[in-house]
Amino acid sequence: MSRKTTILALVVLVGLAGACAKQEQTSPAEEAWSELVEAWNGLETAEDKAALAENYLAEFPDTEHSGSMAGMVVYYRGHEMEDPQGAYDVVASIFEQIEDPEQRFEVGMEMLSLADSVEVPLELAEVADNLAAERPLTYGEHQQVVEAAADLEEWSIVAAHAGAATGLATPEAYQADYPDREFTDEDLAERAQRREATSLAYDGWAAYNMGDTEPAFARYAAADDIGSVSYLGVPNTPLNTFWGRSALGEGDFDAAIELLGAEAAFGNDGSGAEVYLREAYAAQNGNEEGFDEFLWATRNELATTVDDFTLLDYEGNEISMADVSTGKVTLLAFWFPT
Amino acid sequence: MELPRLQPLYEQYKDQGFEVIAVEAKRDTERAKKFIEEKGLTYTMLENAEEDAEIVGSMFKVRSFPSSFLIDRDGKVMYFHLGFEAGDEEHIEEEIKTLL
């Protein structure tokens, strides 16, 4: 989960860069920030990027960029350079200097994201409560707490924040989070549904881990009723992973295999669904023999056939997917330049 | 997958029937063209259509980038990939080889 958060953080950084480049330079911190943004695009290595972010944090620990810079340090030093302790030490050294509750929250969450490899004395509940004392948390902030708490297996925190997040999973709240963007009603409804299904899935998973089996399965069923699915026709939330793992825990191997199979088949993962699917498969069949063939068959059975589409290339020619890919193996990649 | 990492895969497997189609989601045409030229990308590059005809969000429901779908010779979507971690290309190469 922290990986996905990092991807978003990178996009946010670029967004900030665009906004800041147009502003008048008003303070040394902002001036240094403009220089950082300019230098950033020329950097190739994780070492250089980590160093740039660390220098900025050391000089200007308490700015509106503290959270995103801490994110860069965690990503580049912590993950890419595989030095989580070093990343933690850098961020922890400036944490106490941050006064703004929103930045404290962001930086604190970055520190906690390292908790699986580093000793983090910070209490997640404290980080969340500190911001909540200032103003109500947004959906996104509740969800950040939920994901961190699930990683830390702090189930009562997961339950509390997932419950609050479910209440905020409305089209109106989604629009309020992105005041400058225009959405169709349909689009807003779909995004709100995805949020609601996600929060319900986590709420169910917390309940299951606290021994409340029946309420857990009721929440999974409620999340399933919302019907939030990806292009592949499988939930675009962690529902199947949590539901499947709960079914596995109850010894319902058929259900576990069906739920985890849909999740693991296309590799749209990070959830570890395949590990638990393998476990369920072995439990049902007595051993793991034939698992790879089974996974392959599941994939074939569930696979969507892609619809053709036509778009323009950069010379203005109309190109259809079928023109390029009929009879071929095709990687269809969606991107945007940064 | 980051686009430049796909270029060597494309060059290595295109003769065996492998194609790459990259759809730029935000119609940031000038920056896209500059990027494509700078990185020397030679596979199929398309621009998302505008508004109602756009396919990235409405047809493929893609919300996060970079997102990739791997499609087999019969047009079935067999693999999905989100993000750009180092080492991803090795995993995706395994999937491509399985389908070829």
Side-chain angles (χ1 to χ4, degrees), chain A:
Chain A
M1 283 305 168
S2 60
R3 288 179 177 181
K4 284 185 186 164
T5 313
T6 305
I7 293 165
L8 293 176
L10 289 165
V11 174
V12 169
L13 176 74
V14 172
L16 287 171
C20 292
K22 291 182 198 104
Q23 279 177 6
E24 295 256 325
Q25 293 166 5
T26 52
S27 71
E30 280 311 302
E31 202 168 315
W33 176 252
S34 299
E35 282 167 19
L36 178 146
V37 166
E38 208 154 296
W40 190 267
N41 293 326
L43 299 181
E44 297 278 336
T45 67
E47 281 81 358
D48 289 347
K49 289 180 179 178
L52 195 61
E54 286 163 8
N55 288 340
Y56 188 85
L57 270 184
E59 197 164 353
F60 305 104
D62 188 15
T63 69
E64 61 182 311
H65 309 302
S66 303
S68 48
M69 286 301 96
M72 294 300 130
V73 174
V74 168
Y75 182 74
Y76 289 107
R77 180 171 297 284
H79 296 298
E80 296 269 296
M81 293 162 65
E82 298 180 1
D83 179 16
Q85 185 68 54
Y88 176 80
D89 291 344
V90 167
V91 177
S93 73
I94 58 109
F95 182 66
E96 285 312 323
Q97 298 178 57
I98 300 172
E99 287 182 7
D100 175 48
E102 295 187 6
Q103 293 300 321
R104 263 186 98 83
F105 178 81
E106 279 189 42
V107 174
M109 296 303 289
E110 291 295 345
M111 289 159 70
L112 284 157
S113 78
L114 294 167
D116 55 354
S117 40
V118 168
E119 182 82 20
V120 181
L122 222 50
E123 289 285 336
L124 173 61
E126 238 175 80
V127 173
D129 292 349
N130 184 56
L131 180 55
E134 188 76 13
R135 59 158 175 78
L137 304 191
T138 64
Y139 175 90
E141 287 158 352
H142 279 301
Q143 191 55 34
Q144 256 186 291
V145 176
V146 164
E147 289 173 19
D151 284 347
L152 297 166
E153 305 190 356
E154 302 211 29
W155 301 114
S156 62
I157 299 180
V158 175
H161 285 270
T166 307
L168 292 171
T170 64
E172 295 74 24
Y174 195 95
Q175 180 68 70
D177 285 349
Y178 300 94
D180 300 334
R181 286 179 61 185
E182 282 182 34
F183 300 98
T184 63
D185 288 349
E186 196 185 349
D187 216 10
L188 273 181
E190 192 189 307
R191 285 159 194 256
Q193 283 172 345
R194 182 174 182 177
R195 283 184 164 188
E196 191 179 3
T198 300
S199 301
L200 277 167
Y202 271 101
D203 206 6
W205 184 226
Y208 185 76
N209 281 284
M210 292 191 291
D212 298 332
T213 307
E214 242 176 83
F217 282 91
R219 289 191 186 109
Y220 297 145
D224 189 42
D225 282 344
I226 293 169
S228 186
V229 295
S230 72
Y231 179 69
L232 300 168
V234 298
N236 52 10
T237 68
L239 173 63
N240 276 15
T241 302
F242 296 154
W243 199 354
R245 287 180 67 182
S246 303
L248 178 61
E250 295 305 297
D252 186 352
F253 302 130
D254 286 343
I257 286 170
E258 191 182 331
L259 292 159
L260 295 166
E263 186 66 25
F266 303 107
N268 56 335
D269 226 13
S271 66
E274 191 178 320
V275 173
Y276 302 102
L277 177 64
R278 191 182 287 272
E279 202 178 305
Y281 179 89
Q284 195 183 48
N285 295 280
N287 59 55
E288 285 184 14
E289 208 175 310
F291 176 76
D292 290 340
E293 291 78 6
F294 160 75
L295 188 57
W296 184 252
T298 305
R299 198 191 266 207
N300 263 297
E301 188 186 324
L302 296 176
T304 311
T305 299
V306 74
D307 293 320
D308 196 21
F309 60 83
T310 301
L311 291 170
L312 294 178
D313 71 10
Y314 288 92
E315 276 80 52
N317 305 308
E318 285 194 352
I319 308 281
S320 78
M321 161 111 189
D323 292 340
V324 181
S325 69
T326 299
K328 308 271 185 71
V329 172
T330 307
L331 189 76
L332 179 60
F334 296 102
W335 72 293
F336 62 88
T338 55

